[in-house]
């Protein structure tokens, strides 16, 4: 799976470079006096809690304050937006899981910049669930079982493997199956998988609809407050649009701080871009929304990727950060 998507993205990158050589993909030029290279941006976003600050920034006018108009494009997996990002039809990807993006950067498949630190997990917001009828009541009982993930070789499998090791379970004893987040509860109910690795709002949704129970936390111990996702663009785009990138970053940093300090606002905006009802949103366990990027925190991801075998050699995150 990992080699497949890297190969697809490498092909997309080659095509994108040819397209760029033939001419710019265009985009909305800056209005007179704003100083921005582009004023209209398309941002790919996931229907999960991670991207709530993006929608809050739109709702509260933070982008308008920076001279930007942002149009969100809902996607089911963050890596699905990479070809669009590389071709220029999407300017930024929100909710991108760090593992897949850092892996592509480390392999030289593409060059990216992290614009905004999206979320860090909280206890109870990220983990593996199973039905009581399955008999899976502890991490030890996950051995030999099938676990659904949104994407393999990403933040889910990396943290699940680390949590399993801590619990004394060999990661090699479990099988991961790719199922999109919105379809996981149905797969669990139908018995197509033994357990599901989920984030909010799908975690609370499965608990309430199916009575599923958390059997493995992916945000505790050494994984506490672990960085999950961020906002990415290509290094070329950031170089060509530095003032626009900085304006987007300022608006999002303000939105991140607001979301972190106002959980009620996060719960209120969730039904506008997810299938979560207003009533269900009140029960979600919300992640943290850091207002600034920390190289030290993001380095935790790269270090775990190295020790977890995703990366063959150590990788330094600092050059990926946009400032």
């Amino acid at each position: 799976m990992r080699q497949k998507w890297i190969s697809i993205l490498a092909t997309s990158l080659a095509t994108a470079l040819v397209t760029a050589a033939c001419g710019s993909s265009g985009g909305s030029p800056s209005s007179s006096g704003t100083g921005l290279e582009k004023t209209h941006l398309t941002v790919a976003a996931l229907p999960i809690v991670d991207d709530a600050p993006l929608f809050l920034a739109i709702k509260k006018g933070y982008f308008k304050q920076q001279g930007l108009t942002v149009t969100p494009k809902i996607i089911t997996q963050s890596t699905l937006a990479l070809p669009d990002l590389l071709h220029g039809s999407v300017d930024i990807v929100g909710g991108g899981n760090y593992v897949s993006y850092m892996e592509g950067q480390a392999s030289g498949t593409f060059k990216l910049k992290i614009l905004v630190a999206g979320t860090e997990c909280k206890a109870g917001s990220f983990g593996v669930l199973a039905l009581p009828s399955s008999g899976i009541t502890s991490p030890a009982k996950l051995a030999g079982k099938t676990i659904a993930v949104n994407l393999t070789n990403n933040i889910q499998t990396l943290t699940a493997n680390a949590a399993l090791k801590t619990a004394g379970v060999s990661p090699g004893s479990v099988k991961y199956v790719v199922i999109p987040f919105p379809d996981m509860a149905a797969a669990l109910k139908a018995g197509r998988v033994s357990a599901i690795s989920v984030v909010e709002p799908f975690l609370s949704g499965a608990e309430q609809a199916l009575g599923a129970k958390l059997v493995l936390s992916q945000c505790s111990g050494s994984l506490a407050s672990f960085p999950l996702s961020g906002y990415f663009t290509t290094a070329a785009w950031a170089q060509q649009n530095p003032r626009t990138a900085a304006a987007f970053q300022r608006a999002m940093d303000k939105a991140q701080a607001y979301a972190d300090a106002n959980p009620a606002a996060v719960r209120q905006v969730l039904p506008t871009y997810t299938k979560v009802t207003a009533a269900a949103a009140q029960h979600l366990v919300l992640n943290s929304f850091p207002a600034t990027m920390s190289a030290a925190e993001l380095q935790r991801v790269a270090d775990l990727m190295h020790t977890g075998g995703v990366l063959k050699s150590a990788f330094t995150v600092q050059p990926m950060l946009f400032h």
Side-chain angles (χ1 to χ4, degrees), residues 13-144:
L13 176 58
T15 304
L17 291 174
V18 171
T19 302
C22 295
S24 172
S25 60
S28 301
S30 153
S31 59
S32 177
T34 66
L36 303 180
E37 300 85 4
K38 293 186 70 175
T39 56
H40 289 70
L41 303 180
T42 300
V43 180
L46 290 163
I48 59 177
V49 175
D50 297 39
D51 284 333
L54 174 72
F55 292 88
L56 286 172
I58 295 172
K59 179 180 179 181
K60 295 189 70 64
Y62 294 161
F63 291 124
K64 291 292 185 182
Q65 292 170 10
Q66 297 295 329
L68 295 172
T69 297
V70 170
T71 301
K73 177 181 178 181
I74 299 297
I75 54 175
T76 57
Q77 292 178 342
S78 61
T79 52
L80 293 179
L82 273 165
D84 289 338
L85 183 68
L86 297 173
H87 283 87
S89 56
V90 163
D91 298 290
I92 296 164
V93 176
N97 86 82
Y98 289 120
V99 174
S100 295
Y101 284 66
M102 288 182 185
E103 183 186 11
Q105 180 90 358
S107 69
T109 304
F110 39 73
K111 294 182 179 180
L112 302 172
K113 286 292 183 180
I114 305 173
L115 296 176
V116 180
T119 58
E120 295 175 353
C121 68
K122 279 187 179 179
S125 70
F126 183 30
V128 177
L129 303 181
L131 295 177
S133 59
S134 69
I136 302 173
T137 56
S138 67
K141 294 187 177 182
L142 286 170

Side-chain angles (χ1 to χ4, degrees), residues 100-216:
S100 295
Y101 284 66
M102 288 182 185
E103 183 186 11
Q105 180 90 358
S107 69
T109 304
F110 39 73
K111 294 182 179 180
L112 302 172
K113 286 292 183 180
I114 305 173
L115 296 176
V116 180
T119 58
E120 295 175 353
C121 68
K122 279 187 179 179
S125 70
F126 183 30
V128 177
L129 303 181
L131 295 177
S133 59
S134 69
I136 302 173
T137 56
S138 67
K141 294 187 177 182
L142 286 170
K145 300 300 190 297
T146 300
I147 303 174
V149 293
N150 197 48
L151 190 69
T152 55
N153 295 298
N154 77 337
I155 196 78
Q156 285 179 283
T157 52
L158 183 71
T159 54
N161 287 344
L164 287 168
K165 284 182 181 179
T166 299
V169 180
S170 170
S173 68
V174 304
K175 179 182 179 181
Y176 295 112
V177 176
V178 175
I179 297 177
F181 281 128
D183 301 328
M184 285 190 185
L188 183 64
K189 182 179 180 180
R192 296 198 299 273
V193 293
S194 305
I196 56 177
S197 170
V198 278
V199 295
E200 293 288 22
F202 305 102
L203 189 150
S204 291
E207 287 179 331
Q208 293 170 29
L210 305 178
K213 302 295 183 183
L214 185 70
V215 296
L216 180 71

